[in-house]
């Protein structure tokens, strides 16, 4: 087989672009050699990546950029479950902020 120079970084042995089947097959072999559970997939790895970033407070805009989405809306739609902890943290922060305000009757004095 002759090498085909395509300018790509990750290719088949002949230099052709990888397709999804190539990636899944090679990833499965790597997982097996590493002694990991065979359920791991490239998709699962990507979702783990998003979860780790989200859990550590990386902004949604940055996550969208890192996973190659053209908009945050795509990232939110695809990774809804992975992003939930950040949304929960935001809701808990708001509860804390407003609970503190009510305790000191700060809202009452502003509204009056």
């Amino acid at each position: 087989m002759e090498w085909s120079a395509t300018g790509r970084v990750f290719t088949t042995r002949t230099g052709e672009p990888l397709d999804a089947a190539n990636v899944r097959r090679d990833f499965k072999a790597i997982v097996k050699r590493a002694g990991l559970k065979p359920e791991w997939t490239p998709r699962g790895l990507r979702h783990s990546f998003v979860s780790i970033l989200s859990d550590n407070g990386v902004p949604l805009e940055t996550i969208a950029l890192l996973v190659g989405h053209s908009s945050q809306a795509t990232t939110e739609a695809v990774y809804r479950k992975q992003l939930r902890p950040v949304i929960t943290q935001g809701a808990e922060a708001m509860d804390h902020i407003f609970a503190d305000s009510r305790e000191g009757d700060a809202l009452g004095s502003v509204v009056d």
Side-chain angles (χ1 to χ4, degrees):
M1 288 189 234
E2 265 188 57
W3 177 262
S4 175
T6 58
R8 297 185 185 333
V9 175
F10 300 103
T11 66
T12 65
R13 290 182 181 135
T14 60
E16 296 300 316
L18 291 173
D19 62 18
N22 293 124
V23 173
R24 283 190 300 272
R25 183 192 63 240
D26 292 348
F27 190 82
K28 187 176 183 176
I30 291 166
V31 166
K32 186 176 181 177
R33 279 196 308 261
L36 300 172
K37 293 181 180 180
E39 299 87 45
W40 274 99
T41 63
R43 182 176 183 211
L45 190 61
R46 185 175 167 98
H47 281 257
S48 294
F49 175 70
V50 169
S51 291
I52 290 167
L53 294 177
S54 177
D55 289 348
N56 286 280
V58 174
L60 181 59
E61 307 83 45
T62 304
I63 294 173
L65 206 90
L66 290 170
V67 296
H69 291 151
S70 58
S71 75
Q72 293 175 38
T74 303
T75 308
E76 286 178 301
V78 174
Y79 297 106
R80 194 172 305 126
K81 291 179 184 173
Q82 284 74 21
L83 298 170
R84 189 164 295 150
V86 171
I87 294 168
T88 302
Q89 289 171 352
E92 289 170 354
M94 293 299 282
D95 284 347
H96 180 72
I97 291 165
F98 287 112
D100 288 350
S101 296
R102 285 190 301 266
E103 287 172 9
D105 200 29
L107 284 178
S109 62
V110 172
V111 175
D112 292 338

